[in-house]
Amino acid sequence: MSSLYKLDIKFNNIEGVIPSEIGNLVNLQRMALGENLLTGEVPQEVFNISSLQLLDLMENSLSGSLPSGRYLSLPKLEQLYLASNGFGGNIPQYFSNFLNLIIFEVSDNQLSGPIPMSLGNLKNLEVFDIEFNQLTGEINGSELGFLSLYLIVRHCEN
């Protein structure tokens, strides 16, 4: 399966954890596992599939912090869907290295802490959805001054 470039198993009742061996799919461009019954943490190996353009893990029961580390690499990532899970912790700084990112969807989780100003380096970003988390920062403040008119911002503090 090492030549697999699209894994789309959305809208099923797939249960269990995401196996770390999924990182062996080095040619994978699209990983859509959303709207299943997946649990546990996302293996760090997922964030090292350098060919990934789309990562969809929305509407599962995934938990834990998002993998952190400066050695994670998703240089081609354009669409990141992590909404409606149980992710906690901060938005990792390395997300600002995803220079091709167009969609950043992390709403309805338990993310907390400041919104990294370095996300302002994402010049292609069109959708930035962070609502229903416990993130800090002021929409009109200098902290989030990187947001442009073309960016959809939905930010609700609890």
Side-chain angles (χ1 to χ4, degrees):
M1 291 185 67
S2 61
S3 61
L4 189 69
Y5 69 92
K6 180 180 179 182
L7 177 62
D8 191 343
I9 54 174
K10 290 177 68 167
F11 303 107
N12 285 287
N13 290 314
I14 297 172
E15 298 180 23
V17 298
I18 300 171
S20 61
E21 291 82 7
I22 206 161
N24 295 333
L25 302 174
V26 296
N27 293 310
L28 205 57
Q29 295 173 10
R30 298 177 53 88
M31 182 187 304
L33 308 178
E35 301 187 49
N36 280 295
L37 303 170
L38 297 171
T39 58
E41 295 187 16
V42 179
Q44 186 165 339
E45 290 83 356
V46 168
F47 289 88
N48 280 325
I49 303 173
S50 60
S51 57
L52 267 184
Q53 296 172 358
L54 176 140
L55 177 58
D56 180 354
L57 303 175
M58 285 179 62
E59 296 188 33
N60 279 290
S61 294
L62 297 168
S63 60
S65 297
L66 298 173
S68 61
R70 62 179 73 167
Y71 300 110
L72 302 177
S73 176
L74 293 171
K76 297 181 180 180
L77 190 66
E78 296 176 357
Q79 300 175 56
L80 180 62
Y81 300 96
L82 302 176
S84 301
N85 278 290
F87 294 121
N90 295 337
I91 295 175
Q93 287 285 344
Y94 72 84
F95 277 29
S96 61
N97 294 334
F98 303 157
L99 298 177
N100 293 314
L101 200 61
I102 297 168
I103 298 173
F104 181 76
E105 167 63 82
V106 297
S107 65
D108 197 20
N109 277 290
Q110 298 165 11
L111 297 172
S112 60
I115 299 164
M117 287 180 53
S118 59
L119 292 176
N121 297 332
L122 302 176
K123 303 302 181 196
N124 297 318
L125 199 59
E126 293 178 10
V127 176
F128 183 71
D129 192 347
I130 59 173
E131 70 181 339
F132 302 116
N133 282 288
Q134 291 84 44
L135 296 165
T136 59
E138 296 179 23
I139 294 297
N140 298 319
S142 61
E143 236 180 85
L144 300 180
F146 65 84
L147 299 173
S148 72
L149 294 175
Y150 301 104
L151 207 53
I152 297 172
V153 178
R154 297 184 295 187
H155 176 83
C156 298
E157 292 184 27
N158 296 333

